[in-house]
Amino acid sequence: MKKPFYITNAIPYVNAAPHVGYGLEIVQSDTVARYQRLLGKDVRYLCGTDENSLKNVQAAEQVGKPVKTFVDEHAAAFFQLKKSLGLSFDDFIRTTEERHFTGAQTLWSSCNSNDIYKKKYKGLYCVGCELFYTEDELVEGLCPEHKKPPQVVEEENYFFKLSNYQKQLEEIIEKDEVQIIPLFRKEEVLQFIRGGLQDFSISRSIERAHGWGVPVPGDPDQIMYVWFDALSNYITALDYGHAGELYTNYWVQKQQPSREVVHVIGKGIIRFHAVYWLGMLLSAKIPLPTTEFVHGYITVNGEKMSKSVGNVLNPRDVVEAYGTDPVRYFLLGGMSSYHDSDFSDQRFREFYTAHLVDGVGNLTSRILTMLEKYSANIVPDQAPDIFSMEDIWETYHHHFKNYQFDDVIRLLQSFESVCNEVINRKKPWEMAKQGEDVQPLLYQLAEALRHIGIALLPIIPTSAEKILVSLGIDSTQLSTLEEEQTWGGLKKGAIINKGSILFPRL
């Protein structure tokens, strides 16, 4: 029986078209899902859309469309990223679905009754964040995320008594019961918790919500606060509302010695996931996620890419210009995994040329051409490992374990450079001219290329499969990564098929 592995990314608001900042996150989570499948695990990967936000209502009103029509159109644009970015998600949850409404209401009803209470409240509210801020959290009177003044809102809402879980949450984060990666984000969460947790509003009046969203159980005049309802998507998509088999298999994972439930999120929503969400789960006596990986932002001229700021770049436009795999490769290798990174067309083009055209693309062409010239397009007899592949794979797994996608790619780029150095130093063309036996070297280079193709499968799957096909390997017949990373997987007599150039020059 395969070990289950459940991975999600944050669900975006559908108040506008997708931007490449969201593309970064879903490519990261997709890469992890593909890697874990290669390890032989039973992976379930979830994407979706957050459709109950007041932001979506306001955006629909601005263009004069019914809210349902508006969110349907925009949700479709997010779903289409599956093709544009080569995503392999297993499910796509829309928070307007019946299964989500049922599950979100079940979560509310499952929370400890002592943790939910109703009171009148006045506060500073940012619609962009769907969050109340205190005066000292503002920057020059503006929301720190959206650089806009918050609204003053006064009404009677339900509140969640997060303060009940102050000490418990601190211990959970300290002891890595929920591991937060990278470490400095863990410290940020601990600092926030130790600053004193405040109870937070978990509902809105039906008037302010414009009647849009998940109704509060037992109170038709209140709509669930979007973050309470949105966060529950991770379990509502597993049919939590009906105690479904998916929920048992992928969230609870009862029969497993260690659970693996991973959230991939941006730094701006860390308090919701690492504090509010955990508090809600504790209250409802639901198992917690095991890992939260927190990435930085994609910036444009140093500013966060944001639909509300208006400096967005649609990932579909970038893919149409350069192709799916080059975009995936740049988002994973050209952007920092942990910190903010600036996106520009010039950086993209330089990275593409240096690392895809002149890197793995050129190396693939060199090795296949030599096999064509000096081995009649046939894999020769096996020869010993000269590259210390065990060490390379150990480092590869270490970086994946820590969600260091940029380091994974740097490792592979370094390995490609070593292969080129071997070719340049040994000069197989001169060896062949002088009558020396070039076959062992050709096997070593071809087998090295196989390892590169396997290692690239989670990152640039289509191009990696082309590399493997050129070596006579059917990627659908691969075994687990543990077996494939063993030296000698390329079999004598396999037919080489050079094919077309992997990455043409721009």
Side-chain angles (χ1 to χ4, degrees):
M1 182 178 173
K2 289 184 176 180
K3 187 179 190 303
F5 182 95
Y6 185 46
I7 183 167
T8 74
N9 44 247
I11 53 174
Y13 296 129
V14 290
N15 59 318
H19 64 71
V20 79
Y22 174 64
L24 168 71
E25 180 172 306
I26 52 179
V27 167
Q28 287 176 334
S29 51
D30 179 74
T31 299
V32 175
R34 289 176 180 274
Y35 168 74
Q36 293 291 339
R37 290 191 193 105
L38 278 174
L39 293 179
K41 294 180 185 174
D42 175 15
V43 174
R44 190 163 186 87
Y45 167 33
L46 175 69
C47 282
T49 43
D50 183 352
E51 302 180 12
N52 297 324
S53 165
L54 182 57
K55 292 171 71 166
N56 300 332
V57 176
Q58 293 177 337
E61 290 175 345
Q62 286 172 5
V63 296
K65 288 187 177 182
V67 182
K68 175 87 167 56
T69 302
F70 181 85
V71 299
D72 284 349
E73 291 172 355
H74 283 81
F78 282 90
F79 185 86
Q80 287 164 6
L81 291 177
K82 182 169 191 175
K83 180 179 180 182
S84 300
L85 293 172
L87 306 177
S88 62
F89 56 76
D90 301 288
D91 194 5
F92 189 92
I93 179 75
R94 295 183 56 186
T95 58
T96 47
E97 294 179 51
E98 185 276 335
R99 61 173 169 163
H100 179 75
F101 270 53
T102 300
Q105 290 175 325
T106 301
L107 176 63
W108 181 291
S109 300
S110 298
C111 286
N112 188 319
S113 59
N114 295 324
D115 292 334
I116 296 177
Y117 62 96
K118 200 173 187 181
K119 74 169 185 177
K120 289 187 176 178
Y121 182 78
K122 182 177 181 180
L124 301 169
Y125 188 72
C126 172
V127 175
C129 295
E130 295 281 10
L131 176 67
F132 280 102
Y133 282 102
T134 59
E135 289 277 5
D136 59 355
E137 288 178 313
L138 302 178
V139 178
E140 296 181 353
L142 304 178
C143 164
E145 282 284 315
H146 296 92
K147 311 294 190 268
K148 293 180 178 179
Q151 302 173 358
V152 177
V153 172
E154 183 174 8
E155 64 183 22
E156 187 176 38
N157 296 326
Y158 286 97
F159 276 71
F160 181 81
K161 204 156 192 175
L162 190 62
S163 53
N164 281 349
Y165 299 95
Q166 167 93 34
K167 188 62 180 174
Q168 193 174 355
L169 285 169
E170 185 176 350
E171 289 178 357
I172 285 167
I173 303 301
E174 274 183 341
K175 295 177 180 178
D176 289 332
E177 291 176 32
V178 175
Q179 184 182 26
I180 297 176
I181 300 173
L183 185 60
F184 67 89
R185 297 295 181 201
K186 170 184 173 179
E187 295 305 320
E188 287 177 10
V189 172
L190 284 172
Q191 185 178 5
F192 178 76
I193 294 172
R194 289 165 182 161
L197 295 181
Q198 305 295 315
D199 298 350
F200 67 98
S201 170
I202 57 172
S203 74
R204 303 287 176 263
S205 68
I206 195 166
E207 292 80 16
R208 190 154 68 86
H210 297 237
W212 184 258
V214 182
V216 169
D219 192 339
D221 294 329
Q222 294 277 311
I223 297 291
M224 283 188 197
Y225 169 45
V226 69
W227 276 105
F228 190 102
D229 123 46
L231 288 165
S232 70
N233 89 91
Y234 304 129
I235 56 176
T236 65
L238 298 175
D239 199 22
Y240 161 75
H242 299 104
E245 197 173 299
L246 290 174
Y247 172 72
T248 301
N249 291 347
Y250 292 101
W251 190 274
V252 180
Q253 299 182 19
K254 260 185 184 176
Q255 307 306 318
Q256 300 302 319
S258 60
R259 296 169 59 247
E260 290 184 287
V261 176
V262 178
H263 294 323
V264 177
I265 59 171
K267 67 177 186 179
I269 55 175
I270 189 170
R271 78 162 71 169
F272 299 105
H273 284 79
V275 184
Y276 294 7
W277 175 228
L278 301 190
M280 290 153 53
L281 292 173
L282 289 171
S283 179
K285 293 183 168 42
I286 293 173
L288 305 181
T290 60
T291 304
E292 297 191 359
F293 165 63
V294 187
H295 62 79
Y297 290 148
I298 288 184
T299 58
V300 178
N301 299 320
E303 284 288 316
K304 174 195 172 187
M305 188 174 290
S306 166
K307 289 174 282 192
S308 53
V309 174
N311 60 349
V312 302
L313 185 61
N314 192 315
R316 291 182 66 188
D317 295 337
V318 186
V319 167
E320 285 178 11
Y322 300 111
T324 297
D325 277 359
V327 171
R328 287 177 64 103
Y329 193 81
F330 181 71
L331 290 175
L332 295 166
M335 303 277 106
S336 169
S337 299
Y338 291 175
H339 301 279
D340 293 353
S341 302
D342 218 52
F343 188 102
S344 73
D345 190 65
Q346 181 180 347
R347 276 199 68 222
F348 183 99
R349 295 171 72 91
E350 289 172 352
F351 195 84
Y352 173 87
T353 300
H355 300 297
L356 288 179
V357 177
D358 296 336
V360 65
N362 179 60
L363 177 64
T364 300
S365 180
R366 291 185 82 183
I367 293 173
L368 295 177
T369 298
M370 287 186 290
L371 286 163
E372 179 182 53
K373 284 185 177 181
Y374 310 124
S375 191
N377 280 327
I378 295 175
V379 174
D381 283 337
Q382 186 173 326
D385 176 16
I386 58 172
F387 297 106
S388 300
M389 285 310 308
E390 283 189 14
D391 293 339
I392 291 171
W393 280 110
E394 183 179 348
T395 306
Y396 177 89
H397 293 304
H398 171 78
H399 291 327
F400 254 111
K401 183 179 178 182
N402 291 286
Y403 301 84
Q404 295 166 306
F405 309 104
D406 47 350
D407 284 337
V408 170
I409 288 181
R410 275 191 286 271
L411 171 71
L412 297 180
Q413 289 167 350
S414 175
F415 179 39
E416 291 156 15
S417 296
V418 169
C419 292
N420 275 312
E421 287 168 10
V422 168
I423 295 171
N424 295 337
R425 186 176 72 252
K426 296 200 172 185
K427 298 181 174 61
W429 51 91
E430 289 189 5
M431 292 173 65
K433 185 184 283 189
Q434 294 167 10
E436 295 181 48
D437 185 7
V438 74
Q439 300 303 301
L441 176 60
L442 291 180
Y443 181 87
Q444 288 159 339
L445 293 170
E447 173 67 351
L449 185 60
R450 182 186 74 87
H451 283 259
I452 289 170
I454 296 291
L456 285 172
L457 277 172
I459 298 164
I460 45 174
T462 301
S463 301
E465 286 175 6
K466 287 180 180 178
I467 292 173
L468 296 175
V469 166
S470 71
L471 294 170
I473 298 168
D474 181 356
S475 62
T476 64
Q477 300 301 311
L478 293 175
S479 184
T480 63
L481 195 49
E482 183 179 7
E483 293 183 25
E484 296 295 342
Q485 70 189 39
T486 302
W487 183 265
L490 195 56
K491 303 305 179 187
K492 175 187 176 181
I495 305 300
I496 300 300
N497 177 19
K498 188 175 179 181
S500 57
I501 294 173
L502 273 180
F503 303 104
R505 293 193 178 276
L506 298 175

Coordinates of all heavy atoms in Angstrom, one line a residue, residues 405-440:
F405 N 13.9 24.8 -4.3 CA 13.8 24.5 -5.8 C 14.9 25.2 -6.5 O 15.5 24.6 -7.5 CB 12.5 25.0 -6.3 CG 11.3 24.5 -5.5 CD1 10.6 25.4 -4.7 CD2 10.9 23.2 -5.6 CE1 9.5 24.9 -3.9 CE2 9.8 22.7 -4.9 CZ 9.1 23.6 -4.0
D406 N 15.3 26.4 -6.2 CA 16.4 27.1 -6.8 C 17.7 26.3 -6.6 O 18.5 26.2 -7.5 CB 16.5 28.5 -6.4 CG 16.5 28.7 -4.9 OD1 16.2 27.7 -4.2 OD2 16.8 29.8 -4.4
D407 N 17.9 25.7 -5.4 CA 19.1 24.9 -5.2 C 19.1 23.6 -6.0 O 20.2 23.1 -6.4 CB 19.3 24.7 -3.7 CG 19.8 25.9 -2.9 OD1 20.4 26.8 -3.6 OD2 19.5 26.0 -1.7
V408 N 17.9 23.0 -6.1 CA 17.8 21.8 -6.9 C 18.3 22.1 -8.4 O 19.1 21.3 -8.9 CB 16.4 21.3 -7.0 CG1 16.2 20.2 -8.0 CG2 15.9 20.8 -5.6
I409 N 17.9 23.2 -8.9 CA 18.2 23.5 -10.3 C 19.7 23.9 -10.4 O 20.4 23.5 -11.3 CB 17.3 24.6 -10.8 CG1 15.9 24.0 -11.1 CG2 17.9 25.3 -12.1 CD1 14.9 25.0 -11.6
R410 N 20.2 24.6 -9.4 CA 21.7 24.9 -9.4 C 22.5 23.7 -9.3 O 23.6 23.6 -9.9 CB 22.0 25.9 -8.2 CG 21.8 27.4 -8.6 CD 22.4 28.3 -7.5 NE 21.6 28.3 -6.3 CZ 20.6 29.1 -6.1 NH1 20.2 30.0 -7.0 NH2 19.9 29.1 -4.9
L411 N 22.0 22.7 -8.5 CA 22.7 21.4 -8.5 C 22.8 20.7 -9.8 O 23.9 20.3 -10.2 CB 22.0 20.5 -7.5 CG 22.5 19.0 -7.4 CD1 23.9 19.0 -6.7 CD2 21.5 18.2 -6.6
L412 N 21.7 20.7 -10.5 CA 21.7 20.1 -11.8 C 22.5 20.9 -12.9 O 23.1 20.3 -13.7 CB 20.2 19.9 -12.3 CG 19.3 19.0 -11.4 CD1 17.9 18.9 -12.0 CD2 19.9 17.6 -11.3
Q413 N 22.5 22.2 -12.8 CA 23.3 23.0 -13.7 C 24.8 22.7 -13.4 O 25.6 22.6 -14.4 CB 23.0 24.5 -13.4 CG 21.6 24.9 -13.9 CD 21.2 26.3 -13.5 OE1 21.8 26.9 -12.6 NE2 20.1 26.8 -14.0
S414 N 25.1 22.5 -12.2 CA 26.5 22.2 -11.8 C 26.9 20.9 -12.4 O 28.0 20.7 -12.9 CB 26.7 22.2 -10.3 OG 28.0 21.8 -9.9
F415 N 26.0 19.9 -12.3 CA 26.2 18.6 -12.8 C 26.4 18.6 -14.3 O 27.3 17.9 -14.9 CB 25.1 17.6 -12.4 CG 25.3 16.2 -12.9 CD1 26.5 15.6 -13.0 CD2 24.2 15.5 -13.4 CE1 26.7 14.3 -13.4 CE2 24.3 14.2 -13.8 CZ 25.5 13.6 -13.9
E416 N 25.6 19.4 -15.0 CA 25.7 19.6 -16.4 C 27.0 20.1 -16.8 O 27.7 19.7 -17.8 CB 24.6 20.5 -16.9 CG 23.2 19.9 -16.9 CD 22.1 20.9 -16.8 OE1 22.3 22.1 -17.1 OE2 20.9 20.5 -16.4
S417 N 27.5 21.1 -16.0 CA 28.8 21.7 -16.3 C 29.9 20.6 -16.1 O 30.9 20.6 -16.9 CB 29.1 22.8 -15.3 OG 28.2 23.9 -15.5
V418 N 29.8 19.7 -15.1 CA 30.8 18.7 -14.9 C 30.8 17.8 -16.1 O 31.9 17.4 -16.6 CB 30.5 17.9 -13.6 CG1 31.3 16.6 -13.6 CG2 30.7 18.7 -12.4
C419 N 29.6 17.4 -16.7 CA 29.6 16.6 -17.9 C 30.3 17.2 -19.1 O 31.0 16.6 -19.8 CB 28.1 16.3 -18.2 SG 27.3 15.2 -17.0
N420 N 30.0 18.5 -19.2 CA 30.7 19.3 -20.3 C 32.2 19.3 -20.1 O 33.0 19.2 -21.1 CB 30.1 20.7 -20.4 CG 28.8 20.7 -21.2 OD1 28.8 20.2 -22.3 ND2 27.8 21.4 -20.7
E421 N 32.6 19.4 -18.9 CA 34.1 19.5 -18.6 C 34.7 18.1 -18.9 O 35.8 18.1 -19.5 CB 34.3 19.8 -17.1 CG 34.0 21.2 -16.7 CD 34.0 21.5 -15.2 OE1 34.4 20.5 -14.5 OE2 33.6 22.6 -14.8
V422 N 34.0 17.0 -18.6 CA 34.5 15.7 -19.0 C 34.7 15.6 -20.5 O 35.7 15.1 -21.0 CB 33.6 14.6 -18.4 CG1 33.9 13.2 -19.0 CG2 33.7 14.6 -16.9
I423 N 33.6 16.0 -21.2 CA 33.7 15.9 -22.7 C 34.8 16.8 -23.2 O 35.6 16.3 -24.1 CB 32.4 16.4 -23.3 CG1 31.2 15.5 -22.9 CG2 32.5 16.6 -24.8 CD1 29.8 16.0 -23.3
N424 N 35.0 18.0 -22.7 CA 36.0 18.9 -23.2 C 37.4 18.4 -22.8 O 38.4 18.5 -23.6 CB 35.9 20.3 -22.6 CG 34.6 20.9 -23.1 OD1 34.0 20.6 -24.1 ND2 34.1 21.9 -22.3
R425 N 37.6 17.7 -21.7 CA 38.9 17.2 -21.3 C 39.3 15.9 -22.0 O 40.4 15.8 -22.4 CB 38.9 17.0 -19.7 CG 40.2 16.6 -19.2 CD 40.2 16.4 -17.7 NE 39.5 15.2 -17.2 CZ 38.3 15.2 -16.6 NH1 37.7 16.4 -16.4 NH2 37.8 14.1 -16.2
K426 N 38.3 15.0 -22.2 CA 38.6 13.7 -22.8 C 38.5 13.7 -24.3 O 39.1 12.8 -24.9 CB 37.7 12.6 -22.2 CG 37.9 12.4 -20.7 CD 37.4 11.1 -20.2 CE 37.8 10.8 -18.8 NZ 37.4 9.5 -18.3
K427 N 37.8 14.7 -24.8 CA 37.7 14.9 -26.3 C 37.5 13.5 -27.0 O 38.3 13.0 -27.7 CB 39.0 15.5 -26.8 CG 39.4 16.9 -26.3 CD 40.6 17.4 -26.9 CE 40.9 18.8 -26.5 NZ 41.0 19.0 -25.1
P428 N 36.3 13.0 -26.9 CA 35.9 11.7 -27.5 C 36.1 11.7 -29.0 O 36.4 10.7 -29.6 CB 34.5 11.5 -27.1 CG 34.0 12.8 -26.6 CD 35.1 13.5 -26.1
W429 N 36.0 12.8 -29.7 CA 36.2 12.9 -31.1 C 37.6 12.6 -31.5 O 37.9 11.9 -32.5 CB 35.7 14.3 -31.6 CG 36.3 15.4 -30.9 CD1 37.5 16.1 -31.2 CD2 35.8 16.1 -29.7 NE1 37.7 17.1 -30.3 CE2 36.7 17.1 -29.4 CE3 34.6 15.8 -29.0 CZ2 36.4 17.9 -28.3 CZ3 34.4 16.7 -27.9 CH2 35.3 17.7 -27.5
E430 N 38.6 13.1 -30.6 CA 40.0 12.8 -30.9 C 40.3 11.3 -30.5 O 41.1 10.6 -31.2 CB 40.9 13.7 -30.1 CG 40.9 15.1 -30.6 CD 41.9 16.0 -29.9 OE1 42.8 15.5 -29.1 OE2 41.9 17.2 -30.2
M431 N 39.6 10.8 -29.4 CA 39.8 9.4 -29.1 C 39.4 8.5 -30.2 O 40.1 7.6 -30.6 CB 39.0 9.1 -27.8 CG 39.5 9.8 -26.5 SD 38.3 9.5 -25.2 CE 38.4 7.7 -24.9
A432 N 38.3 8.8 -30.8 CA 37.8 8.0 -31.9 C 38.7 8.1 -33.1 O 39.0 7.1 -33.8 CB 36.4 8.5 -32.3
K433 N 39.2 9.3 -33.4 CA 40.1 9.5 -34.6 C 41.4 8.7 -34.4 O 42.0 8.1 -35.3 CB 40.4 11.0 -34.7 CG 41.3 11.3 -36.0 CD 41.7 12.7 -36.0 CE 40.5 13.6 -36.5 NZ 40.9 15.0 -36.8
Q434 N 41.9 8.6 -33.1 CA 43.1 7.9 -32.8 C 42.9 6.4 -32.6 O 43.8 5.7 -32.2 CB 43.8 8.5 -31.6 CG 44.3 9.9 -31.9 CD 44.7 10.7 -30.6 OE1 44.7 10.1 -29.5 NE2 44.9 12.0 -30.7
G435 N 41.7 5.9 -32.7 CA 41.4 4.5 -32.6 C 41.2 4.0 -31.2 O 41.2 2.8 -30.9
E436 N 41.1 4.9 -30.2 CA 40.9 4.5 -28.8 C 39.5 4.1 -28.6 O 38.6 4.5 -29.4 CB 41.2 5.7 -27.9 CG 42.7 6.1 -27.9 CD 42.9 7.3 -26.9 OE1 42.5 7.2 -25.8 OE2 43.6 8.3 -27.3
D437 N 39.2 3.3 -27.6 CA 37.9 2.8 -27.3 C 37.1 3.9 -26.6 O 37.3 4.2 -25.4 CB 38.0 1.5 -26.4 CG 36.6 0.9 -26.2 OD1 35.6 1.4 -26.8 OD2 36.5 0.0 -25.4
V438 N 36.2 4.5 -27.3 CA 35.4 5.6 -26.8 C 34.1 5.1 -26.2 O 33.3 5.9 -25.6 CB 35.1 6.6 -27.9 CG1 34.1 6.1 -28.9 CG2 34.7 8.0 -27.3
Q439 N 33.8 3.8 -26.3 CA 32.5 3.3 -25.9 C 32.2 3.5 -24.4 O 31.1 3.9 -24.0 CB 32.3 1.8 -26.3 CG 32.4 1.6 -27.8 CD 31.4 2.4 -28.6 OE1 30.2 2.2 -28.4 NE2 31.8 3.3 -29.5
P440 N 33.2 3.1 -23.5 CA 32.9 3.3 -22.1 C 32.5 4.8 -21.7 O 31.6 5.0 -20.9 CB 34.2 2.9 -21.4 CG 34.8 2.0 -22.3 CD 34.5 2.5 -23.7

